[in-house]
Amino acid sequence: MEDSAPHATPAAITAANPADRPVYVIGGGPGGLAAAYALRSRGIRAVVVERADRVGASWLRHYDRLHLHTTRRLSALPGLAMPRRFGRWVARDDVVRYLEKYAEHHELELVTGVEVSRVERTPDGTGWLLHASGGRELTGSAVVVATGYNHTPHLPDWPGREAYTGDLVHASAYRNGTPYAGRDVLVVGIGNTGAEIAVDLVEHGAERVRLAVRTVPHIMRRSTAGWAGQYSGILVRRLPVGLVDRLCRVAARASVPDLSAHGLPRPDTGLYTRARQGAVPVLDVGLIDAVRKGRIEVVAAVEGFEDGKVLLADGTRISPDAVVAATGYVRALEGLVGHLGVLDEHGRPVAHGPRTPKDAPGLYFTGFTTPISGTLREVALDAERIAKAVRRQLA
């Protein structure tokens, strides 16, 4: 895998020579690599700048049992299929291997170990200036921000958290349930990460597993009779939101048992409505059975810590041996592009894919949505659209 040495600071790229400026792609994950390939395939020089020392580094911080919830065939990036030996649901380590092979196969231009801290217009307004670690200043004709939806772990500032003496880790630090065998563990958050970690803890012999839930999620089967849930997501993604909500409600009643007696009633709001707000459904990989059998206990949301105990929203105080906070991530784009007026009140880009913000032509974002049709599939499609938009811009 290439490092930054073969791609030294591009001294020839100056404001006086805009035709020589590359497109800088910030982030060496799936979205960034796909965008770089799509640009390169159209004769546009693209340089991927990755803060870690390798591509796909963010995938390695996920828990060991992680597999894609989207099928292998519909998770491949442009120009290179995923090997059949990876199976239908590709494992975390195989995703990393694929990303490394992808960069090598397409001979992508990579700069690793360099972090971009700020993006701004060049003084003459003809391009983009990137401020990076080591005092680097990189000038590009366009910029694709692909730093990822799961960029920076978010740990809520619960009251009493600092005084808590028990084991408390964010899910990003969780690898597997081996260290928790025989222990009482509370998992906070019932997104896909929290649900899978809870199942993993059960399978690794945790004595007791509780799952703290604030908002009841939609739960779907990852696959039913061989039909992947992703297929349905693709078929309905352009239908009216209300119609999809109704269709999903019918499908859920037919395939997912009522878990109300176990603390997981069916949600009041529709699945697609939630998804458009950024809350994807939980795809079942063992949660339903574990909850029905009482191996995972659903409890109220965490409100804080008090006297060495965890305080729940219903007033209950519990004393688990360990707490795993599956409380999500933040995009952390404020320092990078927040000053450009391209983020909404939630810190999300106001434009995505081939569209650029009104006052920031040439600045593109990819990988910051949670589509029900599959994130990898959509970043692959976005890569082609972005490359076409950049070609039009440069022409």
Side-chain angles (χ1 to χ4, degrees):
M1 190 57 57
E2 298 178 77
D3 58 23
S4 57
H7 314 296
T9 303
I13 301 170
T14 66
N17 192 13
D20 290 339
R21 296 171 180 169
V23 175
Y24 279 103
V25 180
I26 307 175
L33 297 181
Y37 163 72
L39 289 162
R40 181 187 175 97
S41 68
R42 287 167 173 77
I44 302 169
R45 183 187 172 202
V47 179
V48 179
V49 184
E50 166 58 46
R51 64 175 179 170
D53 60 358
R54 61 189 296 179
V55 300
S58 62
W59 283 83
L60 290 174
R61 75 182 178 199
H62 292 305
Y63 45 94
D64 294 345
R65 70 173 283 141
L66 176 67
H67 284 68
L68 294 181
H69 289 155
T70 52
T71 65
R72 170 180 50 82
R73 292 183 61 187
L74 294 179
S75 299
L77 303 181
L80 186 66
M82 286 188 172
R84 289 177 60 87
R85 68 177 183 276
F86 286 178
R88 193 183 196 197
W89 312 107
V90 182
R92 178 201 66 184
D93 290 351
D94 284 334
V95 172
V96 175
R97 292 187 186 97
Y98 172 73
L99 296 178
E100 292 174 337
K101 180 64 177 178
Y102 190 85
E104 177 185 352
H105 177 78
H106 292 306
E107 299 181 336
L108 300 182
E109 192 169 351
L110 304 173
V111 178
T112 58
V114 173
E115 182 172 11
V116 178
S117 58
R118 185 179 174 89
V119 176
E120 58 188 24
R121 297 292 287 178
T122 54
D124 64 1
T126 62
W128 292 94
L129 180 64
L130 285 67
H131 298 273
S133 54
R136 296 173 177 84
E137 290 189 347
L138 312 174
T139 307
S141 58
V143 175
V144 180
V145 180
T147 50
Y149 195 86
N150 295 334
H151 184 274
T152 302
H154 169 64
L155 189 63
D157 188 20
W158 287 302
R161 191 191 80 187
E162 297 302 324
Y164 181 66
T165 57
D167 292 341
L168 171 61
V169 299
H170 187 270
S172 60
Y174 178 94
R175 292 295 169 264
N176 58 64
T178 301
Y180 300 93
R183 305 179 71 190
D184 182 342
V185 188
L186 172 68
V187 179
V188 185
I190 192 174
N192 279 292
T193 296
E196 289 201 38
I197 287 177
V199 172
D200 194 55
L201 287 164
V202 168
E203 294 179 354
H204 279 84
E207 181 180 359
R208 186 177 190 180
V209 178
R210 283 175 281 199
L211 186 56
V213 176
R214 184 174 300 278
T215 303
V216 178
H218 285 273
I219 301 175
M220 291 177 56
R221 300 287 188 183
R222 185 171 66 176
S223 179
T224 303
W227 178 267
Q230 181 186 15
Y231 299 163
S232 298
I234 293 171
L235 290 175
V236 304
R237 72 191 189 284
R238 300 193 186 283
L239 296 178
V241 174
L243 174 59
V244 178
D245 283 347
R246 291 192 292 274
L247 291 173
C248 290
R249 189 175 301 116
V250 172
R253 291 186 181 278
S255 62
V256 178
D258 185 358
L259 300 175
S260 299
H262 303 280
L264 290 177
R266 299 191 189 277
D268 294 330
T269 53
L271 184 150
Y272 203 18
T273 296
R274 288 267 193 96
R276 294 287 290 269
Q277 297 169 350
V280 297
V282 171
L283 296 179
D284 176 53
V285 290
L287 176 69
I288 292 173
D289 285 345
V291 169
R292 293 178 76 183
K293 294 176 181 178
R295 301 179 73 186
I296 294 177
E297 305 169 44
V298 177
V299 298
V302 171
E303 291 295 310
F305 296 84
E306 192 175 275
D307 299 327
K309 297 183 178 182
V310 180
L311 177 62
L312 303 181
D314 61 2
T316 304
R317 286 172 171 77
I318 60 176
S319 302
D321 300 321
V323 178
V324 179
T327 45
Y329 297 79
V330 293
R331 272 32 83 203
L333 291 170
E334 288 78 8
L336 186 69
V337 296
H339 55 285
L340 298 172
V342 297
L343 304 178
D344 65 16
E345 64 273 20
H346 302 292
R348 297 175 299 206
V350 296
H352 196 267
R355 296 180 295 110
T356 60
K358 178 181 178 182
D359 297 324
L363 181 63
Y364 301 87
F365 295 87
T366 184
F368 295 97
T369 60
T370 53
I372 61 175
S373 50
T375 297
L376 292 181
R377 179 182 183 275
E378 293 304 322
V379 299
L381 295 174
D382 270 348
E384 300 289 350
R385 298 174 184 133
I386 290 171
K388 291 178 182 177
V390 172
R391 185 172 61 180
R392 288 195 297 269
Q393 171 198 336
L394 297 182

